Amino acid sequence: MKEQILHILRLGDRISGKELGRRLGISRSMVWKYIKALRGEGYLIDSYPGSGYLLVRATESLLPEEIRAGLKTSLFGRQIVYCRELSSTQDAAKVLAVQGAAEGTAVIAETQVAGRGRIGRVWASPPGGIYLSLILRPEIKPADALCLLLVAGVAVALAIEQLTGLKPRLKWPNDIIIAGRKAGGILAEMNAEIDRLNYIVIGIGVNVNTESFPDEIKGLATSLRIAGGEEVSRLKLVREILWQLELFYRIFQESGFETIRERWKGLSNTLGSWVSIMSGGQQQEGAALDIDHDGALIIKQADGIFTRVIAGELILGQAGSGPRESK
Ligand code: BTN
């Protein structure tokens, strides 16, 4: 009912409680109750004696009804579970996935108290960011999940570019980098049998209007607001991310990874650089040459040997630089 009231208020005219109630088949006191609830959620609704209610400003919160107003997708984000605070949207999404939640269901929180990054890292999740997990049920082999992680990276980078004009780059496998600092990250967690993927939860964290970061990551992190110098609408960005994700997910399902692989390479800040990777307890160094058809990073070590890396923590050197000389 709140969504219906908002729909009418968004038309922009003042409308009386009586008229609202008549159109929706509810009493004036019920209308008042819903208006009060909407104000509690952050909507600024003026009331004028005699002429009724006027929506002055929608809430800044990422409420499902706000996201859905103007959402272009047909599947992603059509079901949204929203909480002001969660331990991690990943955990909530996994519970929903086990309970049978439909593909495209999104879990969104304003803040997370135990946000997770890759490799067991903490993901700082203060208000002002986007913390979103999406449930997918692709018919792919578990080994192809890495491609999906890169697909999500392309979608998020293009969504940011589309909305802000900023030019994010992708650091393999999943970091969203702007002006050399990390502005977002993507985490893919799956539930699979040996040859069948049951579900995958794609977790997306973007530092949108964040103004300061914990000391440990201060020099490494940025936000869209810091990089672009102005506040960014989180609502519009969530809609754009869901839209680009749906678009690229479709392409991935219909045509495979190839075209998206080229897009990823075009957005990469990794290829052509000297990189050092900690993977499976082993340190590897080399020139990052390419990503292969499975999304793995191909590096050429100083001794000329080619290595294929499917996971790990990557440290980026200078483009075109080579190994440091050992003395
Ligand atoms: C990384 O770069 O290490 C990945 C960061 C992923 C963070 C997002 S925020 C939404 C979702 N919930 C989490 O706990 N983590 C992911």
Side-chain angles (χ1 to χ4, degrees), residues 87-91 107 112 114-119 121-125 130-133 174-176 182 184-189 201-206:
S87 56
S88 158
T89 54
Q90 288 294 99
D91 297 340
V107 179
Q112 301 181 113
R116 277 202 306 281
R118 283 175 65 243
I119 329 179
R121 296 231 171 92
V122 168
W123 186 259
S125 311
I130 289 176
Y131 313 109
L132 180 160
S133 294
N174 68 337
D175 291 355
I176 309 285
K182 184 156 170 169
I186 300 166
L187 175 69
E189 295 179 314
V201 175
I202 302 283
I204 296 162
V206 184

Side-chain angles (χ1 to χ4, degrees), residues 69-310:
L71 185 64
K72 293 184 282 182
T73 62
S74 55
L75 186 64
F76 287 14
R78 287 289 145 200
Q79 299 288 332
I80 299 177
V81 174
Y82 168 84
C83 288
R84 282 203 169 275
E85 181 178 290
L86 277 175
S87 56
S88 158
T89 54
Q90 288 294 99
D91 297 340
K94 283 192 219 166
V95 171
L96 291 170
V98 170
Q99 289 169 350
E103 174 157 83
T105 301
V107 179
I108 296 179
E110 299 288 345
T111 59
Q112 301 181 113
V113 290
R116 277 202 306 281
R118 283 175 65 243
I119 329 179
R121 296 231 171 92
V122 168
W123 186 259
S125 311
I130 289 176
Y131 313 109
L132 180 160
S133 294
L134 194 70
I135 299 170
L136 298 179
R137 301 181 183 280
E139 291 191 4
I140 57 173
K141 290 192 249 59
D144 293 334
L146 176 57
C147 296
L148 206 46
L149 179 65
L150 303 194
V151 169
V154 169
V156 174
L158 292 179
I160 292 172
E161 179 171 351
Q162 183 71 28
L163 193 72
T164 65
L166 292 165
K167 301 267 179 231
R169 317 300 297 167
L170 294 169
K171 181 177 147 210
W172 187 89
N174 68 337
D175 291 355
I176 309 285
I177 305 291
I178 299 178
R181 294 182 176 209
K182 184 156 170 169
I186 300 166
L187 175 69
E189 295 179 314
M190 63 176 167
N191 176 296
E193 283 146 45
I194 200 107
D195 57 346
R196 199 172 70 100
L197 196 150
N198 297 323
Y199 65 81
I200 180 161
V201 175
I202 302 283
I204 296 162
V206 184
N207 305 328
V208 184
N209 294 315
T210 324
E211 287 188 79
S212 62
F213 295 95
D215 285 345
E216 320 81 78
I217 55 169
K218 227 174 214 158
L220 305 170
T222 190
S223 68
L224 307 189
R225 184 190 180 140
I226 294 170
E230 58 188 9
E231 179 121 358
V232 173
S233 161
R234 291 183 312 142
L235 271 170
K236 286 189 186 160
L237 186 55
V238 166
R239 287 188 203 122
E240 191 62 33
I241 287 175
L242 290 168
W243 169 243
Q244 296 286 347
L245 276 171
E246 185 170 291
L247 221 60
F248 280 99
Y249 184 60
R250 288 245 159 85
I251 296 174
F252 176 62
Q253 285 195 310
E254 283 160 21
S255 325
F257 184 50
E258 265 329 286
T259 46
I260 304 172
R261 174 172 168 251
E262 290 308 317
R263 294 299 290 265
W264 191 95
K265 285 165 69 169
L267 290 165
S268 152
N269 78 347
T270 305
L271 303 183
S273 295
W274 189 260
V275 298
S276 154
I277 301 179
M278 181 57 98
S279 177
Q282 255 196 321
Q283 185 80 21
Q284 317 211 27
E285 267 194 33
L289 293 188
D290 203 357
I291 52 165
D292 72 8
H293 305 286
D294 300 319
L297 185 68
I298 306 298
I299 63 173
K300 186 179 178 192
Q301 296 173 184
D303 56 10
I305 293 177
F306 290 87
T307 322
R308 181 176 178 274
V309 187
I310 57 163

